[in-house]
Amino acid sequence: MLIIAQHGEIFIILACLFGFFMAWGVGANDVANAMGTSVGSKAITIKQAILIAVVFEFLGAWLAGGEVTATIRGGILDPVLLEANPELLVYGMLSALLAAAIWLLIASARGWPVSTTHSIVGAIVGFGAVGLGVDAVAWGKVGQIASSWLISPLLAGTIAYVLFKSVQHLIFESSDPLAAAKRYVPGYVFLVGFIVSMVTLTKGLSHVGLNLSFGQSLLLSIVLGIAIMGLGIVMQRRIKFEQNANDHFGYANVERVFGVLMIFTACAMAFAHGSNDVANAVGPLAAVISVVRSDGVIDSAALVPWWVLMLGGAGIVVGLVTYGHRVIATVGTGITELTPSRGFAATLAAASTVVLASGTGLPISTTHTLVGAVLGVGLARGMAALNLRVIGTIAISWLITLPAGAGLAILFFFMFKGMFG
Amino acid sequence: MVTSNPFSSMFGRSPFQPLLAHIVKANECADQLLPFFEATLADDWVKAAELRENVTRLEHDADTLKTELRLNLPNTMFLPVSRSDLLDLISVQDKIANKVRDITGIMMGRKMRVPDELAEPMRDYICTSVACVAQARQALEELKDLLESGFGRNVADVMHRMIRELHILEHQADDQQVTIRRQLFALESQLPPVDVIFLYKIIEWVGELSDRAERVGSRLQILTAR
């Protein structure tokens, strides 16, 4: 208790610094995965992508980032076992943040495909198991998180498969694909608006002080979905179509209609990413703050202060602006085989999965979800060629990231323990 | 900071681009056949040699594309079509260019000149065969749309119609071959026997050209049917 009273301010400042560092890493690296499909399919330019990412990552982090933050903060470790020594939780969370951020930096410099989510979860589990004892880790919750890493690509893949098949059935196989695209694409826009609003309203808005019943949320989501659909129709009207002799089904024009849709799915993806991944930086930070503020009382039910999510959002934005734009450019120009219709199916599926996971408070990896979604479109015969070796690389990055994050976190944990006593 | 991204490296290079480029080369190669034939009729062996040169170059280009496609298909590649069908298709396509090279090679080497009586039907026959190759190429060009639509029904129908037309053209070439053989048989006694043997060979090979073009069509059908 004394240690916390003595060094409370330092702990908060350190936590903010490390949290910002971590959020910077998330923004610099991970956002590119979320925006890559949209840029790669040439639906939006890199500048537009950055603008969308800045606005919607921030909104996602702020409005819907609460649930996953709570899981990272209090779900992985058993708070009851920490009541005697709350300062250990502070050290641990500080070291987890620092470990994950540094690991992210090292891996990014080497070009290893690591997940920010894996880094932070690995780090928290690591210091928990070694620094506090194996019993301190809520293994049930960890198992649930681990299983979600398997389920999320599968779910995203299934949704992407169904979406692409529906596009194929409704639009590409109709006798006039362009007319069909004009008719059905607003429906997909509605879907995007509805899913995002629904999860935000039902799960995310409690900390902003807005409490809506399920019925109210449903109604408001439908209204928002229709409003966004209206916007989509207006944008669709402004497309200029070109007639090409070689293209007797007019698929080039159909893809232009999908280009409009891609802008919405890009927004949804940025929102989803912000809502899930902000927690990686903000969760430990919130834990430190709540322990210090309450003078050592560990209260897992306390609300996350609103400015903490904003800090995380700001960190992501700074990372994106200072470094992420280059990664987006690389990823975006690398993906040449992706048309807007395929990119749409993949991105919307991934965004829905991430948004759903954020709603239930599960931290999942955006990268894995997207990879699953792209594979889903591939299974629907939508992709010209996919390199399956990447799945192996990702599996290896899993194996490396968890112990690496854990090892670094243990190291820092004992360092802080030595420094503050 | 980041050198590679798991996400972008997931997208392999499309095998359909080299496939299309290859049939375009094979088609260009076949297009040299008629001018070459006209040059031999006119006894213009300088021009014939030039055209023969073109054929060799184009055939070589096609070979390079074939190799590129094969190298682009590692075992870990996930494709919307069967890998073995794709590899079959490219080797059938490759045989078109090879056959053109064989025909021009033997005609050039022996300075063969088709008898005047056979010139007209032979010209039509070559025309039909080359048209078969062009038709095969057109059918393949539909692949892009087919892929775009995730193998939608409409595009598949268009492709199948083209393959049916290809089949009709091939039949026509077969009929022309029968007629030319009969005409050559009537002339046989007036020509040097060795020349006759090689004339039969050329007639047969031109027919094989259309055969192979048709086989490209049926391979394409197998490739896209699933």
Side-chain angles (χ1 to χ4, degrees), chain A residues 11-390:
Chain A
F11 287 146
I12 289 188
I13 291 168
L14 276 180
C16 285
L17 277 176
F18 295 162
F20 196 81
F21 181 26
M22 180 71 190
W24 180 88
V26 173
N29 202 334
D30 229 23
V31 178
N33 297 335
M35 303 305 287
T37 40
S38 314
V39 179
S41 62
K42 301 211 166 45
I44 51 175
T45 63
I46 291 170
K47 268 188 194 156
Q48 285 170 325
I50 291 165
L51 201 70
I52 287 174
V54 166
V55 174
F56 284 89
E57 288 277 342
F58 186 79
L59 283 178
W62 184 39
L63 294 176
E67 288 285 327
V68 187
T69 303
T71 303
I72 294 272
R73 187 182 62 155
I76 298 173
L77 297 177
D78 192 349
V80 182
L81 286 170
L82 286 164
E83 266 165 9
N85 303 82
E87 74 274 9
L88 290 185
L89 182 70
V90 175
Y91 302 155
M93 284 301 178
L94 285 177
S95 48
L97 272 180
L98 197 59
I102 285 176
W103 173 245
L104 207 60
L105 204 66
I106 295 171
S108 301
R110 297 288 171 91
W112 295 334
V114 303
S115 156
T116 50
T117 311
H118 290 176
S119 309
I120 199 78
V121 172
I124 291 176
V125 171
F127 95 77
V130 174
L132 307 174
V134 179
D135 291 342
V137 179
W139 290 108
K141 187 74 184 173
V142 173
Q144 203 186 334
I145 293 170
S147 70
S148 83
W149 288 334
L150 201 68
I151 293 164
S152 63
L154 281 177
L155 183 63
T158 313
I159 297 175
Y161 181 87
V162 171
L163 269 177
F164 190 76
K165 278 284 178 198
S166 78
V167 167
Q168 197 184 329
H169 186 72
L170 290 176
I171 295 171
F172 285 119
E173 286 190 358
S174 82
S175 48
D176 185 355
L178 182 58
K182 283 181 184 162
R183 191 176 329 128
Y184 291 115
V185 164
Y188 289 117
V189 175
F190 173 77
L191 208 63
V192 175
F194 177 73
I195 290 174
V196 172
S197 335
M198 190 64 198
V199 178
T200 312
L201 291 175
T202 49
K203 292 290 180 182
L205 281 185
S206 49
H207 68 93
V208 193
L210 206 61
N211 276 312
L212 294 168
S213 72
F214 183 80
Q216 283 171 315
S217 303
L218 188 72
L219 215 66
L220 196 58
S221 300
I222 291 174
V223 171
L224 279 172
I226 289 173
I228 292 170
M229 182 172 78
L231 186 66
I233 292 172
V234 170
M235 285 165 75
Q236 201 174 297
R237 289 239 174 88
R238 288 163 60 189
I239 311 171
K240 287 185 183 66
F241 294 111
E242 283 165 17
Q243 210 49 56
N244 190 336
N246 270 338
D247 180 20
H248 43 253
F249 286 102
Y251 285 149
N253 286 336
V254 172
E255 293 296 351
R256 278 194 190 87
V257 181
F258 272 103
V260 170
L261 189 50
M262 266 314 257
I263 297 171
F264 290 99
T265 48
C267 296
M269 192 66 214
F271 188 89
H273 179 260
S275 71
N276 201 277
D277 283 31
V278 75
N280 298 332
V282 151
L285 168 58
V288 172
I289 288 167
S290 80
V291 170
V292 173
R293 283 275 168 84
S294 58
D295 286 324
V297 180
I298 294 169
D299 179 12
S300 62
L303 276 177
V304 181
W306 62 272
W307 61 268
V308 171
L309 285 170
M310 293 223 358
L311 182 84
I316 291 182
V317 167
V318 171
L320 178 68
V321 173
T322 53
Y323 191 82
H325 65 279
R326 264 185 287 173
V327 188
I328 291 185
T330 325
V331 176
T333 48
I335 306 169
T336 49
E337 312 289 347
L338 210 57
T339 60
S341 57
R342 304 169 201 178
F344 146 74
T347 322
L348 181 58
S352 314
T353 309
V354 176
V355 158
L356 282 172
S358 299
T360 50
L362 270 185
I364 62 172
S365 163
T366 324
T367 316
H368 295 175
T369 310
L370 252 176
V371 167
V374 170
L375 274 175
V377 179
L379 281 175
R381 295 229 270 180
M383 297 286 175
L386 289 175
N387 193 351
L388 287 186
R389 197 176 294 151
V390 177

Side-chain angles (χ1 to χ4, degrees), chain B residues 159-195:
Chain B
M159 185 185 271
H160 289 173
R161 202 156 55 237
M162 284 180 158
I163 293 170
R164 217 170 300 135
E165 272 168 41
L166 176 58
H167 183 68
I168 293 166
L169 272 174
E170 201 270 339
H171 252 287
Q172 194 184 331
D174 275 353
D175 291 345
Q176 283 168 324
Q177 186 182 22
V178 173
T179 321
I180 292 179
R181 276 174 185 281
R182 203 169 293 143
Q183 281 169 310
L184 182 57
F185 179 70
L187 293 169
E188 249 177 31
S189 51
Q190 304 155 35
L191 297 166
V194 180
D195 280 7

Side-chain angles (χ1 to χ4, degrees), chain B residues 194-212:
Chain B
V194 180
D195 280 7
V196 172
I197 291 172
F198 280 98
L199 272 172
Y200 275 122
K201 187 124 259 176
I202 292 298
I203 291 167
E204 195 188 317
W205 282 359
V206 172
E208 268 177 43
L209 194 61
S210 60
D211 265 357
R212 284 172 182 187

Side-chain angles (χ1 to χ4, degrees), chain A residues 33 37 108-109 111 113 168 173-174 248-249 251 323 331 337-338 342 371 378-379 381 383-388 390, chain B residues 1-7 10 12-14 76-80 142 147-150 152-155 158 224 226:
Chain A
N33 297 335
T37 40
S108 301
Q168 197 184 329
E173 286 190 358
S174 82
H248 43 253
F249 286 102
Y251 285 149
Y323 191 82
V331 176
E337 312 289 347
L338 210 57
R342 304 169 201 178
V371 167
L379 281 175
R381 295 229 270 180
M383 297 286 175
L386 289 175
N387 193 351
L388 287 186
V390 177
Chain B
M1 186 158 105
V2 175
T3 47
S4 75
N5 185 291
F7 193 65
M10 200 174 150
R13 282 178 60 201
S14 162
T76 53
M77 209 55 101
F78 175 77
L79 304 167
E142 286 302 314
L147 200 68
E148 196 95 335
S149 66
R153 204 172 351 95
N154 283 332
V155 193
V158 170
T224 53
R226 193 169 71 169

